[in-house]
Amino acid sequence: MKSLMKSILITGAASGIGAATVKKTASKNISFTLTTKSNEHGLRLVSEYAKKKGTSVISLCGDCTNKKFMEDLFNLARTKKVNIKQFIKNDVNANYQKIRPLENNIK
């Protein structure tokens, strides 16, 4: 059985600190699960950059404070054999209280 690839979930990955984190750490030895609320173009550019560096990427647009979105995100990661190991929350205005129970998915 293929082992799960370790991944870092980064919210707000389409610009600013989130995008800079991806660009600084992208390599063949890492996998990213990237999200943005609305900047699809920026997320596409950051994802393409990471892929050129050999990084495995899952990217989705949606609100990470929405429990349903996060459940779907974790389920997608599981189907792609990705194990989210770290959660980097870049949206300082977001209330992550609603999804706190979902952080148990991060091992």
Side-chain angles (χ1 to χ4, degrees), residues 4-8 77 81-86 105-107:
L4 296 177
M5 179 181 289
K6 294 178 180 138
S7 184
I8 300 172
K81 305 284 188 233
V82 169
N83 182 17
I84 297 172
K85 300 293 279 183
Q86 290 181 297
N105 288 298
I106 301 168
K107 300 179 171 63

Side-chain angles (χ1 to χ4, degrees), residues 1 4 6 9 17 19 25-26 30 34 37 42 45 47 53 55-57 62-63 65-67 72 92 94 97 104:
M1 180 177 148
L4 296 177
K6 294 178 180 138
L9 168 57
I17 293 171
T25 58
I30 199 161
L34 308 175
K37 281 186 184 173
L45 292 175
S47 296
K53 294 287 188 176
T55 304
S56 173
V57 177
D63 182 356
T65 65
N66 179 290
K67 187 176 178 182
D72 292 345
V92 295
Q97 293 295 89
N104 292 331

Side-chain angles (χ1 to χ4, degrees), residues 12-26:
S15 63
I17 293 171
T21 301
V22 172
K23 290 176 181 177
K24 184 77 173 168
T25 58

Side-chain angles (χ1 to χ4, degrees), residues 24-74:
K24 184 77 173 168
T25 58
S27 73
K28 292 180 184 177
N29 301 325
I30 199 161
S31 167
F32 290 120
T33 303
L34 308 175
T35 69
T36 185
K37 281 186 184 173
S38 59
N39 186 350
E40 290 181 51
H41 178 71
L43 187 62
R44 187 172 34 256
L45 292 175
V46 170
S47 296
E48 288 171 3
Y49 176 87
K51 288 176 183 177
K52 286 179 184 174
K53 294 287 188 176
T55 304
S56 173
V57 177
I58 296 172
S59 58
L60 292 172
C61 288
D63 182 356
C64 286
T65 65
N66 179 290
K67 187 176 178 182
K68 174 74 171 113
F69 174 77
M70 291 302 286
E71 287 170 345
D72 292 345
L73 180 92
F74 281 111

Side-chain angles (χ1 to χ4, degrees), residues 64-65 67 89 94-103:
C64 286
T65 65
K67 187 176 178 182
K89 304 170 193 170
N95 179 355
Y96 288 97
Q97 293 295 89
K98 295 180 242 172
I99 62 154
R100 177 132 307 140
L102 292 174
E103 291 186 13

